[in-house]
Amino acid sequence: MKFRFLLWMLGLLMVRASRRNPAFQQQLVGKDLVFQLQTTDGKVARHYVVRDQRVSSHGGTVPSPAFAISFKDAAYGFATMQAKNKQLAFMQGIQDKNIQIVGNTGLVMWFQGLMKYLQPRKKK
């Protein structure tokens, strides 16, 4: 349940950033794609549509996303996406075959770059 909520919240944050954050919008220029995050068994899945410098989020899978990131299970996906060092957690998961990437790996790197725009602002 936590992983499902995390994917939904990620969508909400990306939708909001695509409307309000000029730096985030700049990262979306020229992108027209669909990507998804899911568990390997597909029981928990969410896809995200990037079009016209906007992001929308929808439950479920699509037949042919530009890339898909599959986690071995929901608990592992939640732990990986909440890790302090997310990049290290992803790399370790890929090496251990707990995370599978299907599709354009260059776009996965682009997606990971988007995440820095979704971090909460630090109070001064």
Side-chain angles (χ1 to χ4, degrees):
M1 194 66 175
K2 287 190 224 178
F3 186 56
R4 187 181 311 268
F5 178 75
L6 180 69
L7 295 181
W8 175 80
M9 197 64 201
L10 177 65
L12 184 69
L13 291 171
M14 285 194 294
V15 167
R16 184 176 294 155
S18 74
R19 291 192 175 123
R20 298 180 181 171
N21 185 333
F24 187 87
Q25 291 169 345
Q26 192 62 37
Q27 298 299 311
L28 303 178
V29 171
K31 300 287 188 215
D32 187 7
L33 59 99
V34 177
F35 65 93
Q36 65 191 26
L37 302 175
Q38 64 186 39
T39 56
T40 303
D41 62 9
K43 288 183 179 177
V44 178
R46 191 154 197 90
H47 66 276
Y48 307 89
V49 179
V50 178
R51 186 168 291 124
D52 300 325
Q53 290 182 284
R54 293 285 187 259
V55 177
S56 60
S57 170
H58 310 277
T61 61
V62 291
S64 56
F67 70 89
I69 301 174
S70 300
F71 299 91
K72 73 174 183 172
D73 58 35
Y76 185 82
F78 182 80
T80 302
M81 293 186 74
Q82 291 296 303
K84 280 219 183 272
N85 188 340
K86 289 173 186 47
Q87 196 166 21
L88 178 64
F90 264 89
M91 291 302 171
Q92 189 67 46
I94 291 168
Q95 285 179 345
D96 296 342
K97 307 243 188 284
N98 292 325
I99 298 174
Q100 298 172 350
I101 297 174
V102 177
N104 186 335
T105 53
L107 289 173
V108 174
M109 300 303 270
W110 165 80
F111 168 69
Q112 288 183 321
L114 284 180
M115 295 301 99
K116 70 181 176 185
Y117 298 103
L118 305 180
Q119 301 298 322
R121 292 189 182 140
K122 301 207 189 289
K123 292 182 180 178
K124 293 182 181 179

